[in-house]
Amino acid sequence: MFVPTGADWCPPAESTLLMPAVSVGNVGQLAIDLIISTLNMTKVGYFYTDCLVPMVGNNPYATNDDNAKELCTNAEVYTLPSKNLTVLQIRSPLIKKKSRCFRQALLSWIKKSVFAKVVLLSSSHAYQRDDQQLFGTPFRYLVTPALQPFVSDVIKELEWKEMETVSLYPVVNDEDKKMSVPGGGFTKHMFEDCSSQGIKMAVVLKFCSEGDNIPDAFSLLSHLNKWLHLVELPNENVTSQWKMPVSWRLLFGSGLPPALF
C-alpha cells in the first residue's frame, strides 16, 4: 500500500514510472540510485508492505548534515514533475512466497496512478546465456503488447535487441521455447502480469555477474538514457553526468583496518 509522506500525492499527468527488480548484482537498484541522486528527486511516499524484508537506514542521498538524519525504508517513491518522472526504489529482497502478493499490490497502485508507462530495470546471469545470447550487445528489452505500438519505431531506430526465448529442452527439442530471465527476480512474472492486464510496460536489462556492479549500473543507465533522455550526454560513453549518491562510499565496507598490518 502506497503511503504519501505529506498531503495526498498523485503522479504528474503522463508520468513514467521507473522501478528496479531485485536481481543479480542489484544492477537495477544501483541504476535507480543514480537517477534519484542525479536528478535530485523529491521523496513523496513509501510502500507499507510485509512482502519485503524489513529495513531502515539513513538518507542514502544526503547532501548536508540536516537531511542526513532522515530515515529511508525498503520501498520509497520519488518524483520529478518537470520531467513527468516517478521512481520507485526497492532496497530489500522479497520474502519467500510473497512475490505474487507484492506484484498484485504494485499493479493495483500502477493502475490507480494511471502511469503513461512503466519501465522495469533488471539484470540476468551472464553465465546462463545460451549460444545466441553470447554475441553482440549485453542489453536486452521486453515490451508488453499494450506498449508495443507506442515504442516500436524508437526501438527500431535504436537497434535494441529483444530478449530471446530459449529452448525448454536444449538439444532434445529446440522447437518448444519459453521466455527466461535467470537471476532476474520477479522480472518475468511482473512482465507477464502487465502483459495480461494491458499495462504499458517495458523491461530493460543487462547480462552481468555478481561483483562490483557499479559499471553495469552506469552502462545500463546510459543505455536507457538513449530512449528516455533523462540527462543530456555529450556522447554515449560518458558517465560523469551521473551523480553517485553519498551512500555508495561504503558500498563495499569501510576498508581494511590499518591495525591488520
Side-chain angles (χ1 to χ4, degrees):
M1 179 179 68
F2 173 71
V3 180
T5 53
D8 288 344
W9 173 84
C10 60
E14 296 300 308
S15 179
T16 295
L17 173 66
L18 295 180
M19 59 179 288
V22 183
S23 52
V24 55
N26 306 106
V27 176
Q29 295 161 288
L30 292 172
I32 292 294
D33 262 355
L34 287 170
I35 293 172
I36 296 170
S37 181
T38 301
L39 300 179
N40 194 26
M41 301 183 73
T42 303
K43 183 165 67 174
V44 292
Y46 61 93
F47 262 82
Y48 182 76
T49 176
D50 62 353
C51 299
L52 296 170
V53 173
M55 185 228 90
V56 66
N58 288 349
N59 181 6
Y61 315 114
T63 55
N64 55 58
D65 290 340
D66 291 334
N67 62 23
K69 299 173 184 177
E70 297 175 4
L71 296 180
C72 74
T73 57
N74 51 15
E76 294 183 323
V77 178
Y78 298 78
T79 188
L80 185 64
S82 63
K83 287 186 175 289
N84 291 332
L85 188 65
T86 302
V87 166
L88 168 63
Q89 176 62 300
I90 302 172
R91 297 191 176 95
S92 66
L94 285 162
I95 292 175
K96 191 176 181 180
K97 296 185 179 179
K98 290 202 172 185
S99 175
R100 182 177 181 182
C101 178
F102 184 65
R103 296 198 315 270
Q104 289 175 339
L106 275 181
L107 290 170
S108 176
W109 178 61
I110 289 169
K111 291 177 180 178
K112 181 179 178 180
S113 301
V114 197
F115 291 108
K117 61 181 176 293
V118 180
V119 180
L120 179 68
L121 302 183
S122 186
S123 51
S124 184
H125 283 302
Y127 75 89
Q128 287 193 250
R129 289 175 292 176
D130 68 359
D131 290 348
Q132 62 183 332
Q133 295 171 333
L134 291 172
F135 301 96
T137 177
F139 303 102
R140 293 294 187 275
Y141 80 90
L142 291 165
V143 174
T144 61
L147 183 60
Q148 181 69 43
F150 300 92
V151 298
S152 57
D153 290 342
V154 68
I155 286 177
K156 184 177 180 180
E157 182 181 341
L158 291 171
E159 298 182 341
W160 280 11
K161 198 167 184 179
E162 188 173 10
M163 188 68 170
E164 300 89 347
T165 55
V166 297
S167 299
L168 284 170
Y169 309 102
V171 181
V172 177
N173 183 358
D174 290 332
E175 297 299 321
D176 295 330
K177 294 179 178 290
K178 66 173 182 178
M179 183 183 73
S180 177
V181 188
F186 68 26
T187 300
K188 176 184 174 183
H189 293 302
M190 189 69 183
F191 177 76
E192 291 173 341
D193 290 344
C194 289
S195 295
S196 64
Q197 298 189 36
I199 294 174
K200 298 173 184 175
M201 178 195 184
V203 175
V204 183
L205 63 85
K206 183 183 181 186
F207 294 117
C208 67
S209 302
E210 292 280 5
D212 181 358
N213 295 101
I214 290 177
D216 295 308
F218 274 114
S219 59
L220 178 64
L221 196 47
S222 295
H223 183 71
L224 176 71
N225 195 62
K226 297 174 186 177
W227 172 29
L228 297 184
H229 305 291
L230 301 171
V231 298
E232 293 300 324
L233 297 178
N235 64 71
E236 62 184 46
N237 296 317
V238 172
T239 60
S240 59
Q241 293 295 103
W242 303 111
K243 177 185 175 183
M244 291 192 292
V246 65
S247 55
W248 283 22
R249 288 186 297 186
L250 298 176
L251 199 59
F252 297 101
S254 56
L256 296 174
L260 284 176
F261 307 99

